């Protein structure tokens, strides 16, 4: 079975994360829910919306699955491996169900959307199946399921953005938060299941986004990441008012406070505009970092992928970013072994990586997804060992590029937002530079706390991390 390899991926560390907000919450809840999330940041943000809906109905979160009356698993369909992990996890809940009659198990998210009622047939233990646009109906569905019925809502919507729901921040570090600004995707990249599982693209009311970001700032958060599958195509028009583009939205969020850092993800190379780049330059608190997935370095493969840009066009976009924002961090997503990929195409991917000098990449095997354009039109014809070998070459190259990029930072001073203790030692802080690089440095005697900004001089590095010391 094909696996995917990623590099320095904070997302991978979060797979299967379960949440319990409000440690020591004094409220008495009628029932406890347990929620585990897989996949992209959007899914983690959605779990916070789900938690908010359930809290309103009097359910409280627990991190202890044995204590739960409801178990939810928020799923991802992007690759076959992701779906397998969920199935394995579900089979583990069988035991919990046998021990506790009345316990309900629900599948949320992309896999629920893709498999719909098949889930109820295939995985006999599932009671509730809810797609990404139907979370408002969760309380009613839970009611139905409690009455012994199987409850399903996988309707996709053209306008649901959950704009009015304040997500409950689950297990957050209290410093950085994700804010959904749009849902769905209108691009039809031929390998991708997202347009089928998350529906049409729609932008969330700009005012509700600003309000959420302001509230986060007032609660002490110092960084927001604006999330969408394709943030640069954000476009919101309220009745009788001027449309808000992504560049305008960025500016509005940046103006909340110079102390609030603003990040965004993901940018489709075809949609990121000079306006966005100029806005980034104009505000110090808009982080100088762009995630700009290339997927392949071969124009022929990019066409089959339906990415709507060529190799040269992508390189020109990288040039433009480097010209306008010379110190910008850049990262990418790359797929190895897409249908018909030749050795020459693969070399094109390696050379575009060299050209772009990515600080970081998320790197995957191609995994055919049922129902996608590629599954319908092309044969998944690259043998597994070739996919693996090409992916390994991509990973090795990225490791070298990441190390080179970090070595260039030796001796430089960065403004760092402290996110918390370093993973290895509570004597060290961990934070990020505007370019999104992780920096670890000793606390020493400084009276600092998470959420503070501090200047750090880089003294050492690995391919994944910068190490440094505080500059007073
Ligand atoms: N919307 C973003 C974009 O356009 O780049 C990313 C969406 S997707 C959740 C994240 C990444 O998963 C993609 O950029 C792609 O590299 C990878 N991916 C998507 N479908 C895949 C597939 N069928 N096989 C392997 N990787 C895939
Ligand atoms: Fe998938 Fe392409 Fe949309 Fe990204 S832009 S979510 S890769 S269809």
């Amino acid at each position: 079975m094909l696996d995917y390899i990623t590099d320095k991926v904070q997302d991978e560390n979060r797979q299967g994360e379960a949440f319990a907000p409000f440690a020591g919450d004094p409220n008495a809840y009628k029932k406890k829910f347990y929620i585990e999330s897989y996949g992209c940041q959007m899914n983690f943000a959605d779990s916070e919306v789900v938690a908010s809906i359930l809290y309103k109905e009097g359910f409280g979160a627990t991190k202890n699955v044995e204590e739960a009356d409801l178990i939810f698993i928020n799923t991802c369909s992007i690759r076959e491996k992701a779906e397998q992990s969920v199935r394995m996890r579900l089979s583990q809940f069988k035991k919990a169900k046998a021990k506790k009659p009345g316990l309900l198990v629900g599948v949320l998210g992309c896999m629920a959307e893709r498999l719909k009622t098949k889930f109820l047939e295939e995985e006999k233990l599932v009671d509730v199946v809810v797609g990404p646009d139907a979370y408002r109906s969760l309380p009613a569905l839970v009611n139905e399921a409690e009455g012994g019925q199987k409850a399903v809502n996988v309707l996709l919507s053209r306008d649901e953005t959950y704009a009015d729901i304040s997500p409950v921040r689950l297990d957050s570090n209290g410093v950085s938060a994700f804010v959904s600004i749009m849902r769905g995707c209108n691009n039809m990249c031929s390998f991708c299941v997202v347009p089928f599982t998350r529906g049409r693209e729609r932008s969330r009311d700009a005012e509700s986004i600003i309000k959420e970001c302001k509230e986060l700032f007032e609660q002490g958060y110092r960084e927001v990441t604006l999330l969408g599958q394709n943030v640069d195509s954000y476009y919101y028009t309220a009745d009788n008012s001027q449309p808000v583009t992504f560049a305008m939205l960025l500016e509005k969020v940046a103006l909340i406070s110079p102390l609030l850092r603003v990040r965004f993800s993901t940018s489709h190379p075809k949609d990121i505009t000079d306006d966005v780049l100029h806005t980034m330059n104009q505000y110090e608190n808009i982080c100088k970092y762009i995630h700009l997935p290339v997927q392949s370095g071969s124009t022929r493969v990019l066409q089959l992928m339906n990415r709507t840009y060529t190799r040269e066009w992508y390189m020109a976009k990288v040039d433009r970013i480097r010209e306008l924002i010379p110190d910008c961090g850049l990262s990418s997503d790359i797929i190895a072994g897409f249908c018909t990929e030749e050795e020459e195409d693969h070399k094109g991917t390696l050379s575009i990586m060299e050209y772009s000098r990515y600080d970081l990449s998320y790197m995957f095997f191609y995994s055919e997804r049922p129902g996608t354009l590629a599954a319908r039109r092309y044969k998944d014809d690259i043998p597994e060992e070739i996919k693996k070998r090409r992916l390994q070459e991509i990973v090795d190259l990225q490791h070298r590029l990441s190390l080179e990029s970090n070595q260039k930072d030796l001796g430089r001073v960065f403004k760092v937002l402290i996110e918390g203790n370093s993973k290895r030692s509570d004597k060290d802080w961990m934070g990020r530079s505007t370019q999104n690089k992780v920096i670890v440095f000793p606390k020493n005697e400084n009276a600092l706390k998470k959420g503070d900004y501090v200047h750090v001089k880089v003294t050492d590095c690995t391919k994944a991390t910068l190490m440094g010391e505080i500059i007073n």
Side-chain angles (χ1 to χ4, degrees):
M1 191 43 56
L2 288 185
D3 199 351
Y4 59 94
I5 301 180
T6 52
D7 188 25
K8 189 196 158 190
V9 271
Q10 80 248 35
D11 312 356
E12 282 308 306
N13 293 336
R14 295 193 71 189
Q15 298 308 298
E17 194 169 280
F19 303 114
F22 311 146
D25 185 354
N27 296 321
Y29 295 103
K30 61 175 184 188
K31 294 249 160 97
K32 292 262 170 82
F33 70 91
Y34 169 92
I35 186 164
E36 212 174 87
S37 310
Y38 292 82
C40 64
Q41 289 157 343
M42 292 291 291
N43 254 11
F44 285 82
D46 277 5
S47 289
E48 298 182 334
V49 167
V50 166
S52 173
I53 292 169
L54 292 172
Y55 264 97
K56 281 221 174 77
E57 291 295 311
F59 296 99
T62 173
K63 211 170 183 167
N64 177 3
V65 71
E66 278 159 23
E67 189 181 66
D69 305 286
L70 303 168
I71 296 179
F72 289 115
I73 180 158
N74 196 349
T75 60
C76 170
S77 280
I78 202 84
R79 285 168 289 275
E80 196 185 347
K81 172 73 178 11
E83 291 202 352
Q84 278 164 352
S85 315
V86 165
R87 284 189 195 274
M88 261 172 50
R89 189 65 184 125
L90 277 174
S91 67
Q92 291 165 0
F93 294 146
K94 255 190 196 140
K95 282 187 214 130
K97 247 193 135 161
K99 270 199 219 153
K100 190 169 182 180
L103 171 69
L104 296 178
V105 174
V107 177
L108 313 176
C110 290
M111 227 174 137
E113 193 61 50
R114 197 177 83 71
L115 294 169
K116 303 186 169 61
T117 52
K118 270 199 213 146
F119 241 118
L120 303 175
E121 296 144 25
E122 288 171 11
E123 311 285 339
K124 296 279 184 236
L125 80 153
V126 174
D127 306 285
V128 185
V129 178
V130 193
D133 285 348
Y135 295 142
R136 283 182 205 270
S137 65
L138 252 176
L141 293 170
V142 168
N143 247 335
E144 250 178 66
E146 280 172 341
Q149 301 205 32
K150 299 286 177 195
V152 182
N153 187 349
V154 286
L155 286 177
L156 285 174
S157 155
R158 279 184 175 267
D159 46 25
E160 177 62 273
T161 58
Y162 302 111
D164 56 317
I165 295 181
S166 290
V168 173
R169 301 293 157 183
L170 296 160
D171 245 21
S172 147
N173 62 6
V175 177
S176 40
F178 293 115
V179 176
S180 278
I181 63 163
M182 58 206 296
R183 300 182 71 79
C185 183
N186 282 357
N187 296 320
M188 275 285 173
C189 300
S190 64
F191 50 80
C192 186
V193 78
V194 168
F196 304 95
T197 58
R198 290 192 157 261
R200 307 289 293 167
E201 180 184 292
R202 63 225 100 117
S203 296
R204 177 179 167 189
D205 178 346
E207 283 312 312
S208 78
I209 298 170
I210 310 299
K211 181 167 168 272
E212 187 175 326
C213 295
K214 267 190 190 148
E215 283 168 3
L216 285 164
F217 181 70
E218 279 154 17
Q219 288 160 23
Y221 285 82
R222 289 295 172 262
E223 182 179 273
V224 288
T225 302
L226 308 180
L227 281 186
Q229 295 297 351
N230 187 11
V231 286
D232 299 279
S233 67
Y234 177 88
Y235 190 84
Y236 184 77
T237 340
D239 297 339
N240 304 322
S241 53
Q242 224 206 336
V244 182
T245 63
F246 182 58
M248 291 154 87
L249 181 73
L250 261 184
E251 178 166 48
K252 284 173 189 281
V253 180
L255 284 169
I256 291 174
S257 165
L259 289 177
L260 182 69
R261 274 189 171 179
V262 189
R263 297 187 184 276
F264 54 91
S265 185
T266 296
S267 291
H268 193 299
K270 77 175 164 59
D271 291 318
I272 188 163
T273 58
D274 274 8
D275 263 2
V276 168
L277 301 179
H278 287 307
T279 309
M280 285 174 76
N281 255 342
Q282 219 175 322
Y283 294 91
E284 191 267 342
N285 57 328
I286 303 181
C287 290
K288 308 298 177 274
Y289 166 66
I290 301 176
H291 184 56
L292 195 74
V294 67
Q295 313 295 1
S296 166
S298 151
T299 295
R300 190 185 67 81
V301 172
L302 286 168
Q303 263 164 4
L304 293 180
M305 287 177 161
N306 203 21
R307 286 292 286 183
T308 72
Y309 52 85
T310 61
R311 171 186 173 86
E312 290 69 31
W313 198 92
Y314 183 93
M315 286 157 80
K317 192 53 89 178
V318 170
D319 291 345
R320 187 69 178 150
I321 292 170
R322 302 256 185 242
E323 180 191 337
L324 292 183
I325 317 175
D327 207 14
C328 193
L330 200 63
S331 62
S332 191
D333 290 349
I334 299 168
I335 298 179
F338 187 66
C339 314
T340 80
E341 187 185 74
E342 305 263 353
E343 228 34 56
E344 270 314 292
D345 300 314
H346 169 60
K347 285 199 181 120
T349 298
L350 296 174
S351 64
I352 210 164
M353 289 172 71
E354 291 263 14
Y355 186 87
S356 310
R357 302 195 310 275
Y358 300 123
D359 301 307
L360 158 79
S361 290
Y362 300 91
M363 299 162 281
F364 313 100
F365 292 109
Y366 172 58
S367 162
E368 187 179 80
R369 307 310 296 132
T372 54
L373 292 182
R376 281 184 271 148
R377 284 188 196 157
Y378 315 122
K379 195 160 164 246
D380 181 12
D381 58 352
I382 308 302
E384 187 171 321
E385 64 278 12
I386 295 185
K387 284 185 182 174
K388 277 189 176 164
R389 195 254 304 148
R390 288 183 187 160
L391 179 58
Q392 194 56 54
E393 287 173 13
I394 290 170
V395 169
D396 290 345
L397 172 56
Q398 184 54 57
H399 284 171
R400 172 164 71 71
L401 294 175
S402 300
L403 182 62
E404 283 172 7
S405 163
N406 282 355
Q407 283 169 338
K408 277 200 189 135
D409 290 337
L410 291 175
R412 292 183 64 193
V413 174
F414 292 95
K415 183 173 168 187
V416 174
L417 172 61
I418 300 178
E419 289 180 23
N421 288 338
S422 100
K423 266 193 214 143
R424 295 232 174 106
S425 160
D426 59 11
K427 294 196 171 63
D428 293 337
W429 287 123
M430 170 272 183
R432 273 167 219 270
S433 66
T434 183
Q435 292 85 355
N436 206 32
K437 287 192 182 178
V438 172
I439 307 191
V440 172
F441 50 97
K443 293 181 179 176
N444 296 340
E445 301 305 309
N446 293 290
L448 291 163
K449 57 185 184 319
K450 60 182 189 166
D452 285 346
Y453 289 97
V454 62
H455 284 89
V456 178
K457 182 173 180 180
V458 178
T459 53
D460 201 358
C461 71
T462 65
K463 64 178 167 13
T465 314
L466 300 175
M467 276 76 83
E469 56 197 31
I470 296 170
I471 300 290
N472 289 317

